[in-house]
Amino acid sequence: MYAEKVLSGMRPTGRLHLGHYHGVLKNWVELQQEYPCLFFVADWHALTTHYDEPGSIVDNGWEMIIDWLAAGVDPSQATLFIQSRVPEHAELHLLLSMMTPLGWLERVPTYKDQQEKLSHKDLTTYGFLGYPLLQAADILIYRADKVPVGEDQVPHVEFTREIARRFNHLYGREVGFEEKAREAVKQLGKKRAKLYEELRTRYQERGEEAALEQAHALLDEAQSLSYGDRERLFGYLEGSGKMILVEPDALLTASARMPGLDGQKMSKSYGNTIFLREDPATVTRKIRTMQTDPARVRRNDPGDPEKCPVWQFHVIYSSETTRQWVQAGCTSAGIGCIECKQPLIEAVLKEQEPMHERAQVYLDDSHLVRNIIADGCEKARKLAQETMRDVREAMGLDYS
Ligand code: TRP
Ligand code: SF4
């Protein structure tokens, strides 16, 4: 059975916080058990907005990788690497740029949004306009099927699908495609071949989506097929030609929005974060000094948890019993705010304990992380090189 691949990247923005943990990393840790996963540091993407202050990219990258490992991302399960150490991404970006209409890039919503948000920077650059195309190259070069991202990144995955479709349409017509496809059908074995032909006819003549789906499932299960034949048969179903690049799906991370210390979304730019590897004393202080419902001026003033950022932490960290205790105690002034915060301090410290432990191993010996990344880059590069061979050939650049 063909295993679906997961890929995601993160820009090296500095130390990660609990928002990253609950929003992204916990999800990566689950995915790595189910799928072959590739996770990478998008250092070139960081340069698209920080080209004028590149100084901290490398250090931020290493720190971030330690945060990933601390969170439980496991290099024996997932492949971890750095974008710029796999220069094939840049080659694919360049080749794709030849066929990418400018209008498509200008219409990606993050383009105008980010320019407005970061208006103190000059982002009318070629590199910044190409941000989504570089991301498309990151994804397509591994023929990734699933891309776990937050909501803001969904348009980029959608854009990637359009690029893949356009590419396959323009370059997927290999010489002798029909004959090769018919040969590939035979590789399925008699019974499956017959079913495949039937489903193909039903889809092509009557547009039956269910037939298309069933045919996809059939191909997924066909073990005897080479990669090329599989792709041919996928393409042949829709009559379009060989599918050289794979259209990915966004895997929307259905995460509870992690509130910050002040009740707004946790974000470095709001200064309301608890870092993933924050030391216990600071965590304790940060939670102790969190704002509470302003109605609770004195100890015996009752409050309303709905108006309190501390309550939002309880929603994420506390059991039903504790939450009932908070509700009852807050509205009746039966508990004080310091008391209310105590179970949270304990819960956050408990969550962070294994993270500190895992990180310590890597902090003690920096070779470990370097080796993990060297390994990961090598693995990623092999995959990327395979795709690039097909891409070059399809675009008429095969000099072998
Ligand atoms: N643009 C993504 C972000 O800001 C990072 C990223 C770069 C990425 N390349 C990617 C995410 C490929 C997923 C897949 O979060
Ligand atoms: Fe907030 Fe808890 Fe104080 Fe109520 S008792 S105001 S929920 S910190």
Side-chain angles (χ1 to χ4, degrees):
M1 174 113 178
Y2 173 75
E4 290 195 308
K5 260 181 277 178
V6 167
L7 169 125
S8 201
M10 221 188 259
R11 281 169 298 154
T13 47
R15 284 201 286 167
L16 301 185
H17 52 64
L18 291 180
H20 295 112
Y21 178 65
H22 286 273
V24 184
L25 294 175
K26 252 164 74 176
N27 192 233
W28 285 13
V29 170
E30 275 172 33
L31 286 168
Q32 72 186 359
Q33 300 168 25
E34 273 177 67
Y35 301 98
C37 287
L38 295 139
F39 300 126
F40 71 97
V41 180
D43 56 348
W44 280 333
H45 277 104
L47 270 182
T48 63
T49 50
H50 290 66
Y51 57 87
D52 54 345
E53 39 177 341
S56 44
I57 291 181
V58 168
D59 289 343
N60 285 346
W62 291 122
E63 279 289 307
M64 183 166 81
I65 292 166
I66 294 182
D67 281 333
W68 293 356
L69 296 164
V73 174
D74 176 0
S76 72
Q77 300 191 76
T79 304
L80 311 184
F81 66 98
I82 296 171
Q83 182 185 39
S84 68
R85 305 314 310 262
V86 186
E88 284 78 7
H89 289 223
E91 186 186 352
L92 184 57
H93 178 218
L94 174 88
L95 291 179
L96 294 177
S97 77
M98 305 298 170
M99 47 138 265
T100 303
L102 267 184
W104 289 18
L105 288 167
E106 286 159 348
R107 256 183 270 119
V108 174
T110 46
Y111 181 55
K112 288 258 149 33
D113 288 356
Q114 289 294 100
Q115 277 186 344
E116 280 166 27
K117 226 173 123 193
L118 305 174
S119 58
H120 56 287
K121 287 206 165 149
D122 181 4
L123 292 183
T124 54
T125 57
Y126 181 49
F128 185 68
L129 179 66
Y131 187 114
L133 190 63
L134 180 57
Q135 185 162 351
D138 297 337
I139 298 169
L140 296 174
I141 206 161
Y142 300 104
R143 296 178 158 129
D145 303 276
K146 292 181 158 42
V147 184
V149 283
E151 212 159 357
D152 62 315
Q153 295 291 312
V154 172
H156 291 171
V157 179
E158 198 44 52
F159 171 82
T160 304
R161 294 173 62 88
E162 277 162 25
I163 293 292
R165 227 173 286 146
R166 182 168 167 84
F167 184 96
N168 291 334
H169 175 72
L170 283 170
Y171 309 112
R173 286 164 217 281
E174 56 181 341
V175 197
F177 174 75
E178 287 270 336
E179 286 101 75
K180 283 184 184 165
R182 270 186 307 240
E183 270 311 303
V185 175
K186 286 189 200 147
Q187 303 299 315
L188 286 169
K190 259 209 179 111
K191 249 171 82 184
R192 280 210 171 108
K194 186 157 165 269
L195 180 58
Y196 175 90
E197 292 289 11
E198 266 173 37
L199 293 168
R200 177 169 180 265
T201 310
R202 273 169 51 200
Y203 176 67
Q204 291 200 344
E205 290 177 6
R206 282 170 267 158
E208 285 181 36
E209 289 290 336
L212 182 64
E213 260 173 48
Q214 204 186 329
H216 282 178
L218 180 146
L219 292 178
D220 279 339
E221 281 161 21
Q223 290 177 8
S224 55
L225 287 180
S226 68
Y227 186 83
D229 277 348
R230 178 191 312 282
E231 295 311 306
R232 270 178 207 107
L233 290 184
F234 270 109
Y236 194 47
L237 278 174
E238 295 174 68
S240 50
K242 192 178 171 192
M243 228 174 66
I244 299 169
L245 298 178
V246 174
E247 287 181 42
D249 285 313
L251 254 192
L252 245 186
T253 323
S255 62
R257 164 181 162 279
M258 176 78 197
L261 291 164
D262 57 359
Q264 296 187 78
K265 181 183 148 118
M266 189 177 279
S267 159
K268 214 172 70 176
S269 52
Y270 297 145
N272 62 0
T273 60
I274 296 177
F275 292 108
L276 202 91
R277 290 182 281 132
E278 191 107 71
D279 68 279
T282 311
V283 172
T284 306
R285 181 177 49 78
K286 282 185 171 177
I287 297 178
R288 278 229 176 101
T289 54
M290 268 176 89
Q291 280 196 20
T292 61
D293 178 358
R296 296 207 70 181
V297 185
R298 280 173 301 260
R299 169 67 177 76
N300 51 2
D301 294 327
D304 176 1
E306 290 308 322
K307 294 184 184 141
C308 179
V310 177
W311 169 248
Q312 296 187 42
F313 267 60
H314 277 294
V315 171
I316 295 189
Y317 282 99
S318 298
S319 67
E320 183 56 35
T321 329
T322 307
R323 279 186 268 160
Q324 276 170 11
W325 169 78
V326 172
Q327 285 287 348
C330 179
T331 50
S332 67
I335 60 170
C337 291
I338 291 288
E339 231 179 316
C340 178
K341 290 169 173 175
Q342 195 53 38
L344 284 178
I345 294 175
E346 282 158 27
V348 173
L349 292 182
K350 188 163 163 231
E351 175 175 76
Q352 288 177 322
E353 204 176 280
M355 300 201 216
H356 282 296
E357 273 169 27
R358 278 190 290 255
Q360 198 55 48
V361 179
Y362 299 108
L363 295 171
D364 289 342
D365 182 359
S366 65
H367 291 297
L368 288 176
V369 175
R370 275 164 216 265
N371 288 342
I372 288 167
I373 293 302
D375 258 20
C377 290
E378 198 184 320
K379 273 192 212 142
R381 219 167 161 196
K382 280 217 178 86
L383 294 171
Q385 281 167 347
E386 267 173 41
T387 307
M388 285 318 296
R389 257 196 299 276
D390 295 349
V391 167
R392 284 187 215 115
E393 187 190 75
M395 291 184 80
L397 295 170
D398 180 11
Y399 289 95
S400 63

